[in-house]
């Protein structure tokens, strides 16, 4: 495949049926360079794409220019509302604005207050990102987002505080082991909160079902089975995402802090810790969201009988969400 294939308006640049294609696509989506795009550049990109859609492209415009224009527009403009997404809550801002929160979550010697604060801040940032990048093609009550947010905060804080208390009371741990174990507490807290958020936000899909599409993109019915698969895939993604971010840095820092340089220069520990968290976050985010295609496939034979009666296709697709 050439670096810039023939431009297709509204379609991903890379093949979404392969993991490598999805990974390269999401590297584009989270590219922080789009945070520095000027208003003029954004306006030019939108105008260029409008001309392309109307079939009125000026001569000399290349596929590379069109793909770049689409990348800029999709990074900044919400596809359903047409409004600009606030910079800290864009997918391209998730890593630069989320890394300080990750560093805070993984700070050693956390107090009860600091544990609650960092877990609350992390779930608040996640909630804002989820809301600003929501599917707005259908009206969703604000109460659902509030419910998901409160559930995520409650579960994250409860698990983090509960595990901290248990470890503090565990007499068989020496101080060094206790400190090491405490560094891994954020992962189960954040992972469980992420799953809780998905279930609370999308539980209605389990009873109502989600749309399934045929080869031509036509809706052939609504399936509760497909909804269960979609929620399971999304929940799994949300568990995998914090794993490298919250598990690898404590392991790496435990080794690095034994180095003579960091033993002598303790003020370097926080900057090194921050760089390790940034590297882990930058790797984990595109890997996790590339696990499953946005449009997943399922055999018709595994769905409700009425779906099989409504189409001649053997495989249908559904939007799993993020």
């Amino acid at each position: 495949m050439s670096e810039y294939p023939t431009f297709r308006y509204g379609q991903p640049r890379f093949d979404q049926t392969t993991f490598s294609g999805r990974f390269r696509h999401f590297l584009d989506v989270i590219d922080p360079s789009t945070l520095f795009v000027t208003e003029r550049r954004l306006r030019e990109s939108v105008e260029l794409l409008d001309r392309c859609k109307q079939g009125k492209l000026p001569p000399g415009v290349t596929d590379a220019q069109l793909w770049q224009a689409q990348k800029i527009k999709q990074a900044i403009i919400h596809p359903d509302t047409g409004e600009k997404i606030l910079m800290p809550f864009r997918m391209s801002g998730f890593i630069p604005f989320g890394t300080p929160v990750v560093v805070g979550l993984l700070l050693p010697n956390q107090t009860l207050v600091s544990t609650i604060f960092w877990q609350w801040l992390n779930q608040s940032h996640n909630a804002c990102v989820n809301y600003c990048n929501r599917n707005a093609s259908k009206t969703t009550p604000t109460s659902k987002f509030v419910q998901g947010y409160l559930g995520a905060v409650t579960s994250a804080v409860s698990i983090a505080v509960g595990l901290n208390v248990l470890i503090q009371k565990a007499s068989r741990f020496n101080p060094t082991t206790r400190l090491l174990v405490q560094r891994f507490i954020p992962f189960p807290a954040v992972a469980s909160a992420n799953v809780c958020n998905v279930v609370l936000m999308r539980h209605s899909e389990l009873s109502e079902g989600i749309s399934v599409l045929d080869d031509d993109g036509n809706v052939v019915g609504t399936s509760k089975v497909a909804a269960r698969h979609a929620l399971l895939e999304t929940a799994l993604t949300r568990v995998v995402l914090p794993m490298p971010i919250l598990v690898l840095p404590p392991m790496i820092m435990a080794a690095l802090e034994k180095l003579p340089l960091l033993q002598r220069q303790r003020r370097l520990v926080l900057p090194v810790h921050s760089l390790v968290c940034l590297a882990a976050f930058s790797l984990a985010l595109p890997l996790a969201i590339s696990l499953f295609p946005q449009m997943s496939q399922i055999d018709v034979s595994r769905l409700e009988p009425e779906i099989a009666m409504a189409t001649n296709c053997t495989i249908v697709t559904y939007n799993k969400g993020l």
Side-chain angles (χ1 to χ4, degrees):
M1 178 186 289
S2 63
E3 185 180 359
Y4 288 101
T6 302
F7 181 74
R8 305 179 306 279
Y9 184 87
Q11 298 298 311
R13 174 179 153 198
F14 302 104
D15 180 12
Q16 297 298 287
T17 60
T18 66
F19 175 80
S20 61
R22 294 193 296 273
F23 182 72
R24 294 175 72 188
H25 167 70
F26 283 114
L27 284 178
D28 256 3
V29 171
I30 65 171
D31 181 3
S33 68
T34 57
L35 295 173
F36 304 100
V37 170
T38 63
E39 285 288 339
R40 178 181 176 183
R41 182 74 191 282
L42 174 61
R43 187 168 58 253
E44 290 173 349
S45 297
V46 172
E47 289 173 356
L48 183 62
L49 291 172
D50 287 342
R51 287 190 174 190
C52 175
K53 193 175 181 180
Q54 297 164 5
K56 299 178 181 178
L57 275 177
V61 174
T62 64
D63 286 317
Q65 290 173 304
L66 289 169
W67 284 119
Q68 185 63 21
Q70 180 163 277
K71 174 181 174 178
I72 290 171
K73 181 183 177 182
Q74 290 180 343
I76 300 173
I77 305 295
H78 193 288
D80 298 326
T81 65
E83 298 175 354
K84 285 180 66 176
I85 300 172
L86 291 174
M87 190 181 291
F89 308 133
R90 297 173 192 168
M91 288 305 297
S92 55
F94 197 52
I95 290 174
F97 288 97
T99 298
V101 180
V102 173
V103 173
L105 284 170
L106 295 175
L107 287 174
N109 300 314
Q110 295 265 16
T111 64
L112 179 64
V113 173
S114 66
T115 297
I116 293 172
F117 171 76
W118 287 113
Q119 290 290 347
W120 164 78
L121 186 62
N122 180 54
Q123 294 305 324
S124 297
H125 180 244
N126 289 345
C128 289
V129 172
N130 290 339
Y131 181 78
C132 290
N133 293 277
R134 71 195 184 282
N135 184 335
S137 58
K138 293 182 180 178
T139 303
T140 303
T142 306
S143 58
K144 271 201 173 184
F145 290 98
V146 174
Q147 186 183 45
Y149 168 65
L150 293 177
V153 170
T154 302
S155 60
V157 170
S158 301
I159 291 172
V161 171
L163 288 176
N164 260 316
V165 171
L166 285 175
I167 290 169
Q168 290 293 342
K169 291 183 176 181
S171 57
R172 68 173 181 268
F173 289 150
N174 60 47
T176 304
T177 304
R178 184 177 289 116
L179 179 61
L180 181 62
V181 173
Q182 280 181 315
R183 284 184 162 184
F184 291 94
I185 286 177
F187 171 65
V190 170
S192 61
N194 288 349
V195 173
C196 180
N197 181 270
V198 171
V199 172
L200 288 173
M201 289 284 291
R202 298 175 57 181
H203 67 88
S204 60
E205 294 178 11
L206 296 174
S207 56
E208 299 171 5
I210 60 174
S211 299
V212 292
L213 315 174
D214 61 18
D215 295 336
D216 298 320
N218 301 313
V219 176
V220 296
T222 303
S223 171
K224 296 177 184 177
V225 176
R228 287 200 298 270
H229 280 268
L231 260 67
L232 181 62
E233 291 173 3
T234 304
L236 182 58
T237 300
R238 299 286 184 92
V239 170
V240 171
L241 174 57
M243 193 179 294
I245 303 169
L246 300 177
V247 174
L248 286 179
M251 295 171 64
I252 295 170
M253 287 306 299
L256 291 180
E257 286 175 6
K258 295 177 182 178
L259 295 176
L261 175 62
L262 292 186
Q263 290 283 341
R264 293 194 309 269
Q265 304 286 341
R266 300 303 296 174
R267 66 177 182 274
L268 294 178
V269 172
L270 184 58
V272 171
H273 186 196
S274 302
L275 289 174
V276 170
C277 289
L278 176 61
F281 204 171
S282 301
L283 175 66
L285 182 60
L287 281 175
I289 56 182
S290 302
L291 279 178
F292 302 104
Q294 184 70 27
M295 298 299 295
S296 295
Q297 295 184 326
I298 188 169
D299 289 336
V300 172
S301 59
R302 299 172 64 186
L303 301 179
E304 294 85 346
E306 56 267 26
I307 301 291
M309 295 172 61
T311 180
N312 294 323
C313 297
T314 57
I315 294 177
V316 291
T317 59
Y318 59 90
N319 188 334
K320 77 170 182 68
L322 284 176

